[in-house]
């Protein structure tokens, strides 16, 4: 059960301090948005490179960008330990996942709430994680979409059938109020932005979320 706080809800004028505040987390989730794939613009490779120099925990890059086939491997080469691209944007997801892996990172694909998982099940052997979005990608602080839990269960079943170790990440609206249902459905990596950086102590929020997830762990 791993917690990956999203720095999208952190203080962008003090990112080093904000990363150090979550040194007890498993990952730091960095949302890259290009204002094309989603209607918001955040940061790109030069800022990720700077974050990699100071982050106390491995960096989990969530690319909400067009043409990830072209850009995703660069994030892995820069040292991001996990790189997630959206299947809706990828022309050749197999080649992109392989390029990420050969650059030394864990590869993952993400599906938006309106995207079915079944057509992408064949990609499971190519990736280390599947990200099931629990909000429409683009912004932090949105309401959790509980109807996506059926998809998390589907992915969990498919991972069971295929064997191998593929993590299941949820992202969007994950909080103390919603993390239990995610864990019960089979998620094991939890992104939380406002539920970590919106709290008085980000580190305590991480510990609390992890403890809640552990208590509701899906029976493997
Ligand atoms: C949304 C991003 C999320 C976002 C989550 O497109 O992918 O990572 O930061 O924020 P919360 O946890 O506040 O919904
Ligand atoms: Zn994200």
């Amino acid at each position: 059960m791993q917690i990956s706080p999203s720095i999208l809800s952190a203080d962008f004028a003090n990112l080093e301090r904000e990363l150090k505040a979550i040194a007890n987390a498993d990952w730091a989730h960095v949302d890259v948005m290009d204002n094309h794939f989603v209607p918001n613009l955040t940061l790109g490779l030069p800022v990720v490179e700077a974050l990699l120099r100071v982050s106390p925990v491995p960096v989990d890059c969530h690319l909400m960008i067009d043409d990830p086939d072209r850009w995703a491997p660069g994030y892995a080469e820069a040292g991001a330990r996990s790189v997630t691209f959206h299947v809706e944007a990828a022309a050749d997801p197999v080649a992109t996942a392989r390029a990420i892996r050969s650059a030394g990172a864990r590869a993952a694909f993400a599906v938006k709430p309106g995207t079915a998982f079944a057509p992408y099940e064949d990609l499971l052997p190519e990736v280390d994680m599947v990200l099931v979005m629990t909000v429409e990608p683009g912004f932090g602080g949105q309401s959790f979409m509980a109807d996506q839990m059926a998809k998390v269960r589907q992915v969990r079943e498919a991972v069971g059938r295929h064997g191998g170790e593929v993590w299941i990440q949820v992202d969007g609206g994950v909080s103390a109020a919603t993390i239990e249902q995610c864990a019960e459905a089979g998620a094991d990596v939890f992104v939380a932005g406002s539920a970590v950086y919106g709290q008085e102590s980000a580190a305590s929020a991480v510990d609390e979320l992890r403890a809640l997830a552990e208590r509701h762990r899906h029976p493997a």
Side-chain angles (χ1 to χ4, degrees):
M1 293 295 175
Q2 307 184 67
I3 307 296
S4 187
S6 166
I7 62 161
L8 189 58
S9 298
D11 176 0
F12 267 46
N14 291 286
L15 287 174
E16 178 172 8
R17 191 188 69 202
E18 295 283 65
L19 284 170
K20 290 189 169 147
I22 51 121
N24 61 326
D26 301 279
W27 297 86
H29 184 86
V30 177
D31 290 301
V32 175
M33 304 187 190
D34 67 352
N35 215 18
H36 290 269
F37 181 71
V38 289
N40 195 6
L41 182 67
T42 53
L43 49 84
L45 190 54
V47 176
V48 169
E49 285 170 340
L51 296 172
L52 283 163
R53 287 198 289 273
V54 297
S55 181
V57 292
V59 167
D60 158 31
C61 275
H62 176 194
L63 305 181
M64 286 161 275
I65 60 173
D66 279 346
D67 203 5
D69 311 72
R70 175 172 175 196
W71 303 110
Y75 289 84
E77 284 155 18
R81 199 77 68 76
S82 176
V83 178
T84 302
F85 61 89
H86 271 267
V87 284
E88 301 88 354
D92 190 345
V94 170
T96 300
R98 288 182 183 172
I100 293 168
R101 279 178 160 177
S102 51
R106 299 175 61 90
F109 70 84
V111 282
K112 297 204 279 188
T115 303
F117 164 71
Y120 303 103
E121 185 175 333
D122 290 350
L123 288 176
L124 283 179
E126 305 288 344
V127 295
D128 304 289
M129 184 171 81
V130 176
L131 165 52
V132 176
M133 289 302 300
T134 42
V135 297
E136 214 46 70
F139 300 91
Q142 303 182 79
S143 301
F144 178 77
M145 296 169 73
D147 60 352
Q148 297 302 305
M149 295 303 96
K151 198 188 290 174
V152 172
R153 278 185 221 101
Q154 271 176 27
V155 181
R156 176 51 67 201
E157 280 166 27
V159 167
R161 276 197 303 278
H162 284 255
E165 252 229 55
V166 179
W167 297 345
I168 302 174
Q169 186 178 59
V170 283
D171 180 9
V174 176
S175 70
T178 59
I179 196 168
E180 301 178 359
Q181 53 187 298
C182 298
E184 274 161 7
D188 46 18
V189 188
F190 307 87
V191 176
S194 40
V196 168
Y197 283 110
Q199 308 304 307
E200 210 171 297
S201 162
S204 314
V206 167
D207 287 339
E208 278 160 34
L209 288 170
R210 196 191 284 106
L212 282 170
E214 295 282 1
R215 242 177 282 147
H216 293 266
R217 180 189 286 274
H218 180 268

mmCIF file of all heavy atoms in Angstrom, residues 64-94:
data_model
loop_
_atom_site.group_PDB
_atom_site.id
_atom_site.type_symbol
_atom_site.label_atom_id
_atom_site.label_comp_id
_atom_site.label_asym_id
_atom_site.label_seq_id
_atom_site.Cartn_x
_atom_site.Cartn_y
_atom_site.Cartn_z
ATOM 1 N N MET A 64 0.004 13.984 -18.710
ATOM 2 C CA MET A 64 -1.292 14.292 -19.346
ATOM 3 C C MET A 64 -0.989 15.171 -20.535
ATOM 4 O O MET A 64 -1.244 16.381 -20.532
ATOM 5 C CB MET A 64 -2.214 14.973 -18.325
ATOM 6 C CG MET A 64 -2.755 13.990 -17.295
ATOM 7 S SD MET A 64 -3.367 14.800 -15.823
ATOM 8 C CE MET A 64 -1.828 14.945 -14.932
ATOM 9 N N ILE A 65 -0.393 14.539 -21.546
ATOM 10 C CA ILE A 65 0.118 15.282 -22.703
ATOM 11 C C ILE A 65 -0.201 14.534 -23.997
ATOM 12 O O ILE A 65 -0.349 13.311 -23.994
ATOM 13 C CB ILE A 65 1.660 15.476 -22.614
ATOM 14 C CG1 ILE A 65 2.390 14.118 -22.573
ATOM 15 C CG2 ILE A 65 2.029 16.288 -21.369
ATOM 16 C CD1 ILE A 65 3.907 14.219 -22.660
ATOM 17 N N ASP A 66 -0.279 15.295 -25.080
ATOM 18 C CA ASP A 66 -0.366 14.683 -26.403
ATOM 19 C C ASP A 66 0.994 14.112 -26.774
ATOM 20 O O ASP A 66 2.034 14.568 -26.268
ATOM 21 C CB ASP A 66 -0.751 15.748 -27.445
ATOM 22 C CG ASP A 66 -2.250 16.022 -27.460
ATOM 23 O OD1 ASP A 66 -3.010 15.221 -26.876
ATOM 24 O OD2 ASP A 66 -2.646 17.042 -28.053
ATOM 25 N N ASP A 67 0.965 13.146 -27.672
ATOM 26 C CA ASP A 67 2.182 12.552 -28.231
ATOM 27 C C ASP A 67 3.175 12.034 -27.176
ATOM 28 O O ASP A 67 4.372 12.342 -27.229
ATOM 29 C CB ASP A 67 2.884 13.570 -29.153
ATOM 30 C CG ASP A 67 3.802 12.882 -30.173
ATOM 31 O OD1 ASP A 67 3.821 11.630 -30.224
ATOM 32 O OD2 ASP A 67 4.520 13.597 -30.890
ATOM 33 N N PRO A 68 2.678 11.230 -26.211
ATOM 34 C CA PRO A 68 3.600 10.692 -25.201
ATOM 35 C C PRO A 68 4.652 9.774 -25.815
ATOM 36 O O PRO A 68 5.729 9.612 -25.248
ATOM 37 C CB PRO A 68 2.676 9.916 -24.253
ATOM 38 C CG PRO A 68 1.485 9.566 -25.068
ATOM 39 C CD PRO A 68 1.308 10.713 -26.036
ATOM 40 N N ASP A 69 4.346 9.216 -27.003
ATOM 41 C CA ASP A 69 5.320 8.350 -27.677
ATOM 42 C C ASP A 69 6.647 9.104 -27.852
ATOM 43 O O ASP A 69 7.723 8.536 -27.705
ATOM 44 C CB ASP A 69 4.789 7.931 -29.058
ATOM 45 C CG ASP A 69 3.366 7.402 -28.977
ATOM 46 O OD1 ASP A 69 2.435 8.220 -28.766
ATOM 47 O OD2 ASP A 69 3.178 6.187 -29.069
ATOM 48 N N ARG A 70 6.508 10.380 -28.132
ATOM 49 C CA ARG A 70 7.694 11.193 -28.360
ATOM 50 C C ARG A 70 8.352 11.662 -27.054
ATOM 51 O O ARG A 70 9.575 11.713 -26.950
ATOM 52 C CB ARG A 70 7.288 12.412 -29.189
ATOM 53 C CG ARG A 70 8.401 13.390 -29.403
ATOM 54 C CD ARG A 70 7.987 14.462 -30.395
ATOM 55 N NE ARG A 70 9.014 15.495 -30.531
ATOM 56 C CZ ARG A 70 8.796 16.669 -31.080
ATOM 57 N NH1 ARG A 70 7.607 16.982 -31.549
ATOM 58 N NH2 ARG A 70 9.770 17.551 -31.165
ATOM 59 N N TRP A 71 7.527 12.012 -26.049
ATOM 60 C CA TRP A 71 8.065 12.701 -24.872
ATOM 61 C C TRP A 71 8.318 11.817 -23.648
ATOM 62 O O TRP A 71 9.175 12.132 -22.819
ATOM 63 C CB TRP A 71 7.110 13.831 -24.460
ATOM 64 C CG TRP A 71 6.875 14.817 -25.562
ATOM 65 C CD1 TRP A 71 5.719 14.999 -26.272
ATOM 66 C CD2 TRP A 71 7.823 15.750 -26.096
ATOM 67 N NE1 TRP A 71 5.893 15.976 -27.206
ATOM 68 C CE2 TRP A 71 7.165 16.468 -27.130
ATOM 69 C CE3 TRP A 71 9.162 16.054 -25.800
ATOM 70 C CZ2 TRP A 71 7.806 17.459 -27.865
ATOM 71 C CZ3 TRP A 71 9.796 17.041 -26.532
ATOM 72 C CH2 TRP A 71 9.120 17.732 -27.552
ATOM 73 N N ALA A 72 7.573 10.731 -23.506
ATOM 74 C CA ALA A 72 7.641 9.943 -22.259
ATOM 75 C C ALA A 72 9.039 9.390 -21.957
ATOM 76 O O ALA A 72 9.503 9.476 -20.809
ATOM 77 C CB ALA A 72 6.609 8.823 -22.280
ATOM 78 N N PRO A 73 9.750 8.836 -22.958
ATOM 79 C CA PRO A 73 11.057 8.248 -22.618
ATOM 80 C C PRO A 73 12.024 9.263 -22.000
ATOM 81 O O PRO A 73 12.842 8.894 -21.142
ATOM 82 C CB PRO A 73 11.567 7.720 -23.966
ATOM 83 C CG PRO A 73 10.315 7.478 -24.773
ATOM 84 C CD PRO A 73 9.375 8.585 -24.367
ATOM 85 N N GLY A 74 11.914 10.522 -22.376
ATOM 86 C CA GLY A 74 12.806 11.555 -21.826
ATOM 87 C C GLY A 74 12.664 11.696 -20.315
ATOM 88 O O GLY A 74 13.653 11.991 -19.618
ATOM 89 N N TYR A 75 11.450 11.494 -19.800
ATOM 90 C CA TYR A 75 11.247 11.593 -18.345
ATOM 91 C C TYR A 75 11.919 10.420 -17.636
ATOM 92 O O TYR A 75 12.466 10.576 -16.538
ATOM 93 C CB TYR A 75 9.748 11.665 -18.026
ATOM 94 C CG TYR A 75 9.153 12.998 -18.441
ATOM 95 C CD1 TYR A 75 8.739 13.231 -19.747
ATOM 96 C CD2 TYR A 75 9.051 14.043 -17.529
ATOM 97 C CE1 TYR A 75 8.230 14.460 -20.143
ATOM 98 C CE2 TYR A 75 8.549 15.278 -17.905
ATOM 99 C CZ TYR A 75 8.140 15.482 -19.220
ATOM 100 O OH TYR A 75 7.654 16.704 -19.603
ATOM 101 N N ALA A 76 11.880 9.253 -18.288
ATOM 102 C CA ALA A 76 12.553 8.082 -17.718
ATOM 103 C C ALA A 76 14.069 8.287 -17.763
ATOM 104 O O ALA A 76 14.773 8.019 -16.779
ATOM 105 C CB ALA A 76 12.155 6.831 -18.492
ATOM 106 N N GLU A 77 14.566 8.796 -18.881
ATOM 107 C CA GLU A 77 16.022 9.046 -19.001
ATOM 108 C C GLU A 77 16.491 10.071 -17.972
ATOM 109 O O GLU A 77 17.608 9.989 -17.468
ATOM 110 C CB GLU A 77 16.362 9.540 -20.421
ATOM 111 C CG GLU A 77 16.353 8.408 -21.443
ATOM 112 C CD GLU A 77 16.075 8.905 -22.871
ATOM 113 O OE1 GLU A 77 16.216 10.116 -23.139
ATOM 114 O OE2 GLU A 77 15.692 8.044 -23.698
ATOM 115 N N ALA A 78 15.619 11.012 -17.635
ATOM 116 C CA ALA A 78 15.986 12.043 -16.657
ATOM 117 C C ALA A 78 16.074 11.473 -15.242
ATOM 118 O O ALA A 78 16.676 12.087 -14.360
ATOM 119 C CB ALA A 78 14.978 13.181 -16.698
ATOM 120 N N GLY A 79 15.432 10.306 -15.023
ATOM 121 C CA GLY A 79 15.540 9.688 -13.696
ATOM 122 C C GLY A 79 14.229 9.497 -12.962
ATOM 123 O O GLY A 79 14.228 9.051 -11.810
ATOM 124 N N ALA A 80 13.102 9.817 -13.612
ATOM 125 C CA ALA A 80 11.813 9.516 -12.976
ATOM 126 C C ALA A 80 11.722 7.995 -12.842
ATOM 127 O O ALA A 80 12.001 7.272 -13.790
ATOM 128 C CB ALA A 80 10.664 10.040 -13.817
ATOM 129 N N ARG A 81 11.348 7.516 -11.663
ATOM 130 C CA ARG A 81 11.359 6.073 -11.417
ATOM 131 C C ARG A 81 10.125 5.400 -12.018
ATOM 132 O O ARG A 81 10.108 4.195 -12.251
ATOM 133 C CB ARG A 81 11.434 5.827 -9.906
ATOM 134 C CG ARG A 81 11.904 4.445 -9.499
ATOM 135 C CD ARG A 81 13.416 4.277 -9.634
ATOM 136 N NE ARG A 81 14.129 5.091 -8.655
ATOM 137 C CZ ARG A 81 14.238 4.791 -7.359
ATOM 138 N NH1 ARG A 81 13.697 3.707 -6.867
ATOM 139 N NH2 ARG A 81 14.918 5.584 -6.562
ATOM 140 N N SER A 82 9.059 6.186 -12.232
ATOM 141 C CA SER A 82 7.844 5.649 -12.840
ATOM 142 C C SER A 82 7.305 6.695 -13.812
ATOM 143 O O SER A 82 7.273 7.893 -13.477
ATOM 144 C CB SER A 82 6.817 5.345 -11.745
ATOM 145 O OG SER A 82 5.593 4.916 -12.310
ATOM 146 N N VAL A 83 6.921 6.258 -15.000
ATOM 147 C CA VAL A 83 6.395 7.183 -16.007
ATOM 148 C C VAL A 83 5.075 6.622 -16.538
ATOM 149 O O VAL A 83 5.028 5.504 -17.050
ATOM 150 C CB VAL A 83 7.395 7.405 -17.165
ATOM 151 C CG1 VAL A 83 6.799 8.342 -18.217
ATOM 152 C CG2 VAL A 83 8.723 7.958 -16.639
ATOM 153 N N THR A 84 4.012 7.424 -16.388
ATOM 154 C CA THR A 84 2.671 7.017 -16.811
ATOM 155 C C THR A 84 2.221 7.875 -17.981
ATOM 156 O O THR A 84 2.260 9.101 -17.903
ATOM 157 C CB THR A 84 1.669 7.202 -15.649
ATOM 158 O OG1 THR A 84 2.109 6.437 -14.524
ATOM 159 C CG2 THR A 84 0.270 6.757 -16.049
ATOM 160 N N PHE A 85 1.766 7.219 -19.059
ATOM 161 C CA PHE A 85 1.204 7.957 -20.193
ATOM 162 C C PHE A 85 -0.261 7.560 -20.356
ATOM 163 O O PHE A 85 -0.682 6.490 -19.889
ATOM 164 C CB PHE A 85 2.000 7.657 -21.476
ATOM 165 C CG PHE A 85 1.995 6.201 -21.881
ATOM 166 C CD1 PHE A 85 0.997 5.689 -22.703
ATOM 167 C CD2 PHE A 85 2.974 5.319 -21.404
ATOM 168 C CE1 PHE A 85 0.969 4.336 -23.046
ATOM 169 C CE2 PHE A 85 2.947 3.957 -21.753
ATOM 170 C CZ PHE A 85 1.941 3.476 -22.575
ATOM 171 N N HIS A 86 -1.039 8.398 -21.021
ATOM 172 C CA HIS A 86 -2.444 8.081 -21.261
ATOM 173 C C HIS A 86 -2.611 7.290 -22.551
ATOM 174 O O HIS A 86 -2.083 7.687 -23.591
ATOM 175 C CB HIS A 86 -3.276 9.366 -21.305
ATOM 176 C CG HIS A 86 -3.767 9.758 -19.950
ATOM 177 N ND1 HIS A 86 -5.003 9.371 -19.471
ATOM 178 C CD2 HIS A 86 -3.167 10.440 -18.951
ATOM 179 C CE1 HIS A 86 -5.148 9.822 -18.233
ATOM 180 N NE2 HIS A 86 -4.048 10.477 -17.889
ATOM 181 N N VAL A 87 -3.379 6.197 -22.481
ATOM 182 C CA VAL A 87 -3.622 5.401 -23.695
ATOM 183 C C VAL A 87 -4.391 6.209 -24.742
ATOM 184 O O VAL A 87 -4.235 5.970 -25.940
ATOM 185 C CB VAL A 87 -4.403 4.093 -23.422
ATOM 186 C CG1 VAL A 87 -3.506 3.051 -22.804
ATOM 187 C CG2 VAL A 87 -5.654 4.329 -22.617
ATOM 188 N N GLU A 88 -5.204 7.175 -24.277
ATOM 189 C CA GLU A 88 -6.002 7.956 -25.236
ATOM 190 C C GLU A 88 -5.102 8.793 -26.138
ATOM 191 O O GLU A 88 -5.521 9.222 -27.215
ATOM 192 C CB GLU A 88 -6.964 8.897 -24.484
ATOM 193 C CG GLU A 88 -7.948 8.193 -23.549
ATOM 194 C CD GLU A 88 -7.387 7.983 -22.136
ATOM 195 O OE1 GLU A 88 -6.188 8.272 -21.905
ATOM 196 O OE2 GLU A 88 -8.153 7.505 -21.278
ATOM 197 N N ALA A 89 -3.867 9.051 -25.677
ATOM 198 C CA ALA A 89 -2.967 9.946 -26.418
ATOM 199 C C ALA A 89 -1.862 9.195 -27.140
ATOM 200 O O ALA A 89 -1.194 9.773 -28.004
ATOM 201 C CB ALA A 89 -2.346 10.958 -25.448
ATOM 202 N N ALA A 90 -1.668 7.926 -26.805
ATOM 203 C CA ALA A 90 -0.512 7.200 -27.343
ATOM 204 C C ALA A 90 -0.840 6.558 -28.684
ATOM 205 O O ALA A 90 -1.882 5.903 -28.829
ATOM 206 C CB ALA A 90 -0.062 6.137 -26.348
ATOM 207 N N ALA A 91 0.034 6.735 -29.661
ATOM 208 C CA ALA A 91 -0.164 6.090 -30.969
ATOM 209 C C ALA A 91 0.319 4.639 -30.908
ATOM 210 O O ALA A 91 -0.265 3.756 -31.514
ATOM 211 C CB ALA A 91 0.594 6.866 -32.041
ATOM 212 N N ASP A 92 1.394 4.405 -30.173
ATOM 213 C CA ASP A 92 1.972 3.061 -30.087
ATOM 214 C C ASP A 92 2.329 2.768 -28.631
ATOM 215 O O ASP A 92 3.491 2.882 -28.215
ATOM 216 C CB ASP A 92 3.215 2.982 -30.987
ATOM 217 C CG ASP A 92 3.733 1.543 -31.131
ATOM 218 O OD1 ASP A 92 3.328 0.671 -30.324
ATOM 219 O OD2 ASP A 92 4.541 1.309 -32.044
ATOM 220 N N PRO A 93 1.304 2.389 -27.831
ATOM 221 C CA PRO A 93 1.550 2.210 -26.392
ATOM 222 C C PRO A 93 2.591 1.135 -26.078
ATOM 223 O O PRO A 93 3.328 1.276 -25.096
ATOM 224 C CB PRO A 93 0.185 1.845 -25.822
ATOM 225 C CG PRO A 93 -0.714 1.571 -26.974
ATOM 226 C CD PRO A 93 -0.121 2.224 -28.191
ATOM 227 N N VAL A 94 2.666 0.093 -26.897
ATOM 228 C CA VAL A 94 3.650 -0.964 -26.621
ATOM 229 C C VAL A 94 5.063 -0.402 -26.763
ATOM 230 O O VAL A 94 5.913 -0.558 -25.872
ATOM 231 C CB VAL A 94 3.450 -2.180 -27.555
ATOM 232 C CG1 VAL A 94 4.610 -3.165 -27.436
ATOM 233 C CG2 VAL A 94 2.117 -2.876 -27.244
#
